[in-house]
PDB file of all heavy atoms in Angstrom:
ATOM      1  N   LEU S 302      -7.903   8.951  13.335  1.00  0.00           N
ATOM      2  CA  LEU S 302      -8.524   8.363  14.518  1.00  0.00           C
ATOM      3  C   LEU S 302      -9.048   6.979  14.140  1.00  0.00           C
ATOM      4  O   LEU S 302      -9.887   6.840  13.248  1.00  0.00           O
ATOM      5  CB  LEU S 302      -9.665   9.243  15.023  1.00  0.00           C
ATOM      6  CG  LEU S 302      -9.277  10.680  15.407  1.00  0.00           C
ATOM      7  CD1 LEU S 302     -10.499  11.446  15.899  1.00  0.00           C
ATOM      8  CD2 LEU S 302      -8.172  10.692  16.450  1.00  0.00           C
ATOM      9  N   MET S 303      -8.549   5.943  14.827  1.00  0.00           N
ATOM     10  CA  MET S 303      -8.850   4.574  14.428  1.00  0.00           C
ATOM     11  C   MET S 303     -10.332   4.244  14.521  1.00  0.00           C
ATOM     12  O   MET S 303     -10.850   3.445  13.734  1.00  0.00           O
ATOM     13  CB  MET S 303      -8.046   3.598  15.288  1.00  0.00           C
ATOM     14  CG  MET S 303      -6.543   3.650  15.041  1.00  0.00           C
ATOM     15  SD  MET S 303      -6.097   3.326  13.311  1.00  0.00           S
ATOM     16  CE  MET S 303      -6.530   1.600  13.171  1.00  0.00           C
ATOM     17  N   ARG S 304     -11.030   4.859  15.459  1.00  0.00           N
ATOM     18  CA  ARG S 304     -12.460   4.561  15.600  1.00  0.00           C
ATOM     19  C   ARG S 304     -13.202   4.850  14.287  1.00  0.00           C
ATOM     20  O   ARG S 304     -13.963   4.012  13.787  1.00  0.00           O
ATOM     21  CB  ARG S 304     -13.048   5.400  16.740  1.00  0.00           C
ATOM     22  CG  ARG S 304     -14.567   5.296  16.890  1.00  0.00           C
ATOM     23  CD  ARG S 304     -14.971   3.912  17.325  1.00  0.00           C
ATOM     24  NE  ARG S 304     -16.431   3.827  17.518  1.00  0.00           N
ATOM     25  CZ  ARG S 304     -17.087   2.703  17.750  1.00  0.00           C
ATOM     26  NH1 ARG S 304     -16.418   1.569  17.819  1.00  0.00           N
ATOM     27  NH2 ARG S 304     -18.396   2.701  17.913  1.00  0.00           N
ATOM     28  N   GLY S 305     -13.002   6.031  13.741  1.00  0.00           N
ATOM     29  CA  GLY S 305     -13.653   6.374  12.491  1.00  0.00           C
ATOM     30  C   GLY S 305     -13.113   5.591  11.313  1.00  0.00           C
ATOM     31  O   GLY S 305     -13.876   5.157  10.438  1.00  0.00           O
ATOM     32  N   PHE S 306     -11.806   5.362  11.301  1.00  0.00           N
ATOM     33  CA  PHE S 306     -11.168   4.690  10.169  1.00  0.00           C
ATOM     34  C   PHE S 306     -11.637   3.251  10.037  1.00  0.00           C
ATOM     35  O   PHE S 306     -11.885   2.760   8.934  1.00  0.00           O
ATOM     36  CB  PHE S 306      -9.651   4.735  10.333  1.00  0.00           C
ATOM     37  CG  PHE S 306      -8.897   4.075   9.219  1.00  0.00           C
ATOM     38  CD1 PHE S 306      -8.736   4.709   7.999  1.00  0.00           C
ATOM     39  CD2 PHE S 306      -8.350   2.802   9.378  1.00  0.00           C
ATOM     40  CE1 PHE S 306      -8.042   4.094   6.959  1.00  0.00           C
ATOM     41  CE2 PHE S 306      -7.661   2.187   8.346  1.00  0.00           C
ATOM     42  CZ  PHE S 306      -7.509   2.839   7.135  1.00  0.00           C
ATOM     43  N   ILE S 307     -11.778   2.558  11.160  1.00  0.00           N
ATOM     44  CA  ILE S 307     -12.110   1.137  11.117  1.00  0.00           C
ATOM     45  C   ILE S 307     -13.607   0.892  11.037  1.00  0.00           C
ATOM     46  O   ILE S 307     -14.065  -0.035  10.360  1.00  0.00           O
ATOM     47  CB  ILE S 307     -11.506   0.406  12.336  1.00  0.00           C
ATOM     48  CG1 ILE S 307      -9.981   0.298  12.174  1.00  0.00           C
ATOM     49  CG2 ILE S 307     -12.104  -0.982  12.511  1.00  0.00           C
ATOM     50  CD1 ILE S 307      -9.286  -0.459  13.274  1.00  0.00           C
ATOM     51  N   THR S 308     -14.421   1.726  11.689  1.00  0.00           N
ATOM     52  CA  THR S 308     -15.823   1.363  11.860  1.00  0.00           C
ATOM     53  C   THR S 308     -16.798   2.120  10.979  1.00  0.00           C
ATOM     54  O   THR S 308     -17.983   1.787  10.962  1.00  0.00           O
ATOM     55  CB  THR S 308     -16.260   1.584  13.323  1.00  0.00           C
ATOM     56  OG1 THR S 308     -16.214   2.996  13.622  1.00  0.00           O
ATOM     57  CG2 THR S 308     -15.368   0.835  14.280  1.00  0.00           C
ATOM     58  N   SER S 309     -16.362   3.128  10.235  1.00  0.00           N
ATOM     59  CA  SER S 309     -17.342   3.956   9.535  1.00  0.00           C
ATOM     60  C   SER S 309     -16.916   4.266   8.110  1.00  0.00           C
ATOM     61  O   SER S 309     -15.807   3.939   7.678  1.00  0.00           O
ATOM     62  CB  SER S 309     -17.546   5.270  10.307  1.00  0.00           C
ATOM     63  OG  SER S 309     -16.488   6.177  10.054  1.00  0.00           O
ATOM     64  N   ASP S 310     -17.793   4.957   7.396  1.00  0.00           N
ATOM     65  CA  ASP S 310     -17.507   5.383   6.033  1.00  0.00           C
ATOM     66  C   ASP S 310     -16.467   6.490   5.977  1.00  0.00           C
ATOM     67  O   ASP S 310     -16.045   6.875   4.882  1.00  0.00           O
ATOM     68  CB  ASP S 310     -18.789   5.879   5.359  1.00  0.00           C
ATOM     69  CG  ASP S 310     -19.758   4.744   5.046  1.00  0.00           C
ATOM     70  OD1 ASP S 310     -19.301   3.589   4.987  1.00  0.00           O
ATOM     71  OD2 ASP S 310     -20.957   5.015   4.875  1.00  0.00           O
ATOM     72  N   ALA S 311     -16.044   6.980   7.125  1.00  0.00           N
ATOM     73  CA  ALA S 311     -15.003   8.012   7.134  1.00  0.00           C
ATOM     74  C   ALA S 311     -13.732   7.527   6.440  1.00  0.00           C
ATOM     75  O   ALA S 311     -12.990   8.334   5.872  1.00  0.00           O
ATOM     76  CB  ALA S 311     -14.683   8.440   8.569  1.00  0.00           C
ATOM     77  N   ARG S 312     -13.485   6.203   6.460  1.00  0.00           N
ATOM     78  CA  ARG S 312     -12.285   5.668   5.812  1.00  0.00           C
ATOM     79  C   ARG S 312     -12.276   5.982   4.313  1.00  0.00           C
ATOM     80  O   ARG S 312     -11.221   6.057   3.693  1.00  0.00           O
ATOM     81  CB  ARG S 312     -12.154   4.161   6.048  1.00  0.00           C
ATOM     82  CG  ARG S 312     -13.231   3.329   5.388  1.00  0.00           C
ATOM     83  CD  ARG S 312     -13.136   1.853   5.740  1.00  0.00           C
ATOM     84  NE  ARG S 312     -12.142   1.165   4.932  1.00  0.00           N
ATOM     85  CZ  ARG S 312     -11.005   0.686   5.408  1.00  0.00           C
ATOM     86  NH1 ARG S 312     -10.701   0.820   6.676  1.00  0.00           N
ATOM     87  NH2 ARG S 312     -10.153   0.074   4.613  1.00  0.00           N
ATOM     88  N   MET S 313     -13.470   6.186   3.733  1.00  0.00           N
ATOM     89  CA  MET S 313     -13.553   6.492   2.312  1.00  0.00           C
ATOM     90  C   MET S 313     -13.199   7.952   2.021  1.00  0.00           C
ATOM     91  O   MET S 313     -12.896   8.305   0.881  1.00  0.00           O
ATOM     92  CB  MET S 313     -14.947   6.177   1.792  1.00  0.00           C
ATOM     93  CG  MET S 313     -15.325   4.715   1.946  1.00  0.00           C
ATOM     94  SD  MET S 313     -16.956   4.343   1.298  1.00  0.00           S
ATOM     95  CE  MET S 313     -16.646   4.565  -0.457  1.00  0.00           C
ATOM     96  N   LEU S 314     -13.254   8.792   3.045  1.00  0.00           N
ATOM     97  CA  LEU S 314     -12.940  10.213   2.869  1.00  0.00           C
ATOM     98  C   LEU S 314     -11.520  10.570   3.274  1.00  0.00           C
ATOM     99  O   LEU S 314     -11.040  11.654   2.950  1.00  0.00           O
ATOM    100  CB  LEU S 314     -13.917  11.069   3.690  1.00  0.00           C
ATOM    101  CG  LEU S 314     -15.322  11.279   3.126  1.00  0.00           C
ATOM    102  CD1 LEU S 314     -16.138  12.132   4.079  1.00  0.00           C
ATOM    103  CD2 LEU S 314     -15.265  11.927   1.748  1.00  0.00           C
TER     104      LEU S 314
END
Side-chain angles (χ1 to χ4, degrees):
L302 301 180
M303 292 302 292
R304 174 67 178 172
F306 180 77
I307 288 183
T308 66
S309 79
D310 289 340
R312 66 185 279 111
M313 299 181 69
L314 282 179

